[in-house]
Amino acid sequence: MPPLSTPTPGVRQTEFRFRCIACGDVSDSASQNFRCSHCGDLLEITYPHWKESGRTAQDLISTWGQRRLSQSAIDLSGVWRFRELLPALERDDQAITLREGNTPLYELPQCARITGVPRLFAKHQGLNPTGSFKDAGMTVAATSARLAGFRWVACASTGNTSASMAAYAARGGMRSLVLVPEGKISWSKLSQALDYGAVTCQLRTDFDGCLRLLQELVLRAPVYQLNSINPFRLEGQKTLAFELLEQLDWQPPDHIIVPGGNLGNSSAIGKALLEMHALGLISRLPKLSVIQAEGANALVRTLREAAGKRLISVQAETRATAIRIGNPASWKKAAHVLEATGGACEQVTEVEIAQAKAEIGAEGIGCEPASAVTLAGLKKLVKQGFVKPQESVVLVLTGNLLKDPDYTMEFHRGDLFKGTVDEGASAALNPLRRPPIVLDATLDAVIRTLEQAEK
Ligand code: F0G
């Protein structure tokens, strides 16, 4: 089947164009694999008419602020509320929305003490409708799939994308096909895809193998691909940064720190920062830094060993399964925004991730392991002097604690590193462990436990 052109009806194509990130070719439509028809590289969405719209930064800020009082579905979405900077819809009711976005910005006083950075915040994207930051991108990309007339959407996933895609497909009356690596994603995420009615295939390969297969599939079958190669996903994920800056009264933080897997999210946040700067919404750029697990450190190696010129893929292995990715699709976009904002790229060990996750949890704010790399990475960046104690830092927590309860249970029971090379090093984490205690159902036993805990 020849590649279908997308999007077709419904989206006003004059409002945006697809631009190749490598050769710069600009076009009105994209093929189903969202690759440049000339050089095969990734596409991004660009808005050639923004400048002519005559809207000032003040206009935008006040329009977005007023919408917070509105009860219409599109304004209740923390993504579509910023629709002036997204691909335009002809009608508001075209958006498939679950009221995504609108996530809190928390202070982290205990982690601030641990890191020596008093102005430390967490933007908790795990409080989205399906429990991860993917929903912000999915509302835009699923909407674009439906407008283009697709009946099927599909993705390869380490779990969160599939959960989100399945939910938005169901809300939008579309069918969804999920490709996940067998045995390598958490049951919580898998169960979401099942509950939302996806056709779920556990493939005997890793995430990178699933994504390769999906990219071939979309050229052969009429399915719309919803991985972050799809540039509409990144447009939705951009809004995290708009909402963050609104919460900070448009005063940019010094640093924003994100986990890196397939590198779509860092690319999206970086794009948003550059756009906000160009539009005069912010007067200076925060430094955007990406943290990876040591066992899935393709971007770290690409920047260190190849100066960001060619991708160094790795065989990925980490218990933070969300970022168990060795061949990140958006590495060029991420390398670009890191350079443009002056951010850093670091890696952290499995023990450092587990420790950071427990420290965030001890603040009453749960996150999944992949999100905790941000705090672990911050500690390193402080040590290196890249982040200074007087600077403000925002950690992007990408997923909810409940996304991977097995990890948390194993950590607290002391089983997480049993039989691994990290077993010795992990002993240092014992003071953070709170294993469940089995007791006889007597008052005495409970009181003794309380007294023990007080010591
Ligand atoms: N954090 C979580 C919780 C994730 O699920 C992911 C990616 C990332 C961080 C990394 O973001 O890929 O944009 O660099 N999860 C994808 C998935 C790959 O399939 O759910 P990224």
Side-chain angles (χ1 to χ4, degrees):
M1 177 179 301
L4 298 182
S5 189
T6 179
T8 34
V11 174
R12 266 185 270 144
Q13 305 227 347
T14 50
E15 301 281 345
F16 68 90
R17 298 274 190 282
F18 297 97
R19 182 171 59 202
C20 171
I21 61 162
C23 73
D25 180 64
V26 174
S27 59
D28 287 346
S29 61
S31 61
Q32 249 175 285
N33 64 355
F34 290 107
R35 298 240 166 219
C36 173
S37 54
H38 298 285
C39 72
D41 218 316
L42 295 188
L43 303 177
E44 64 178 0
I45 287 178
T46 159
Y47 304 86
H49 303 297
W50 267 356
K51 286 242 160 64
E52 300 150 27
S53 77
R55 300 202 72 148
T56 64
Q58 255 333 305
D59 279 349
L60 289 170
I61 289 172
S62 110
T63 302
W64 297 336
Q66 280 162 18
R67 283 184 189 144
R68 289 163 71 186
L69 304 171
S70 159
Q71 287 303 316
S72 77
I74 193 139
D75 291 339
L76 287 168
S77 162
V79 171
W80 292 104
R81 196 156 65 76
F82 300 99
R83 55 192 172 272
E84 283 72 16
L85 307 189
L86 297 176
L89 300 174
E90 273 176 1
R91 294 191 328 269
D92 289 354
D93 64 1
Q94 289 173 325
I96 305 170
T97 172
L98 284 163
R99 319 291 187 263
E100 52 289 320
N102 300 311
T103 59
L105 181 68
Y106 293 124
E107 288 181 348
L108 295 177
Q110 294 178 40
C111 295
R113 273 192 292 280
I114 293 167
T115 54
V117 178
R119 288 189 294 152
L120 179 59
F121 303 88
K123 176 76 174 148
H124 204 336
Q125 293 298 94
L127 298 183
N128 266 293
T130 76
S132 84
F133 70 99
K134 306 287 181 181
D135 295 342
M138 211 50 82
T139 182
V140 175
T143 297
S144 131
R146 191 168 66 176
L147 287 173
F150 281 89
R151 209 169 93 72
W152 280 89
V153 293
C155 73
S157 183
T158 57
N160 281 326
T161 301
S162 51
S164 182
M165 177 189 76
Y168 281 84
R171 296 297 295 180
M174 294 177 285
R175 303 289 312 277
S176 63
L177 173 73
V178 162
L179 306 180
V180 291
E182 197 214 355
K184 300 288 171 19
I185 78 166
S186 86
W187 288 113
S188 311
K189 298 174 188 179
L190 195 64
S191 68
Q192 286 181 289
L194 303 181
D195 218 36
Y196 302 141
V199 174
T200 304
C201 306
Q202 296 180 274
L203 303 186
R204 293 188 197 93
T205 178
D206 54 12
F207 168 83
D208 302 294
C210 292
L211 187 57
R212 249 193 319 274
L213 205 139
L214 177 75
Q215 291 195 265
E216 288 170 28
L217 177 75
V218 295
L219 295 175
R220 295 271 294 278
V223 300
Y224 185 89
Q225 80 107 331
L226 281 178
N227 276 95
S228 54
I229 290 173
N230 180 326
F232 290 99
R233 280 269 314 277
L234 302 200
E235 291 309 288
Q237 283 171 215
K238 271 184 351 189
T239 58
L240 176 159
F242 304 153
E243 190 176 87
L244 169 65
L245 265 295
E246 187 182 59
Q247 286 165 320
L248 293 172
D249 205 17
W250 302 98
Q251 299 304 309
D254 295 300
H255 296 273
I256 299 176
I257 302 182
V258 284
N262 213 20
L263 300 173
N265 205 30
S266 36
S267 304
I269 296 170
K271 186 172 192 276
L273 296 176
L274 296 171
E275 288 177 354
M276 280 191 284
H277 195 235
L279 290 166
L281 285 158
I282 51 174
S283 54
R284 64 181 172 84
L285 284 170
K287 293 188 171 78
L288 179 69
S289 294
V290 173
I291 312 297
Q292 298 195 296
E294 215 172 67
N297 60 353
L299 185 66
V300 176
R301 292 196 52 191
T302 294
L303 296 178
R304 287 186 192 166
E305 296 167 36
K309 297 284 182 267
R310 69 185 161 84
L311 175 66
I312 299 184
S313 345
V314 299
Q315 191 65 43
E317 196 47 80
T318 169
R319 285 297 305 264
T321 52
I323 51 172
R324 192 174 179 279
I325 294 171
N327 193 29
S330 293
W331 69 273
K332 258 190 211 169
K333 289 186 180 180
H336 167 68
V337 296
L338 251 67
E339 195 186 347
T341 66
C345 184
E346 253 309 334
Q347 58 187 352
V348 291
T349 66
E350 295 296 305
V351 173
E352 287 166 341
I353 296 172
Q355 174 166 358
K357 181 173 136 42
E359 287 166 347
I360 295 169
E363 297 253 26
I365 296 171
C367 69
E368 64 168 290
S371 309
V373 301
T374 54
L375 178 64
L378 170 62
K379 292 179 194 170
K380 288 207 153 162
L381 297 179
V382 171
K383 226 176 243 159
Q384 293 162 6
F386 182 77
V387 173
K388 316 254 177 331
Q390 71 277 13
E391 292 183 319
S392 56
V393 179
V394 175
L395 307 179
V396 177
L397 302 184
T398 44
N400 197 291
L401 166 78
L402 299 176
K403 285 287 195 172
D404 195 351
D406 285 352
Y407 183 101
T408 308
M409 288 306 293
E410 283 182 41
F411 173 83
H412 287 288
R413 290 198 162 121
D415 297 337
L416 192 60
F417 296 107
K418 229 178 216 157
T420 74
V421 289
D422 293 317
E423 193 162 359
S426 71
L429 306 184
N430 285 344
L432 288 164
R433 287 177 39 224
R434 297 281 178 272
I437 302 159
V438 180
L439 296 175
D440 287 332
T442 67
L443 194 55
D444 263 6
V446 176
I447 287 176
R448 260 199 314 277
T449 305
L450 199 57
E451 286 166 354
Q452 197 67 32
E454 193 52 57
K455 281 182 191 155

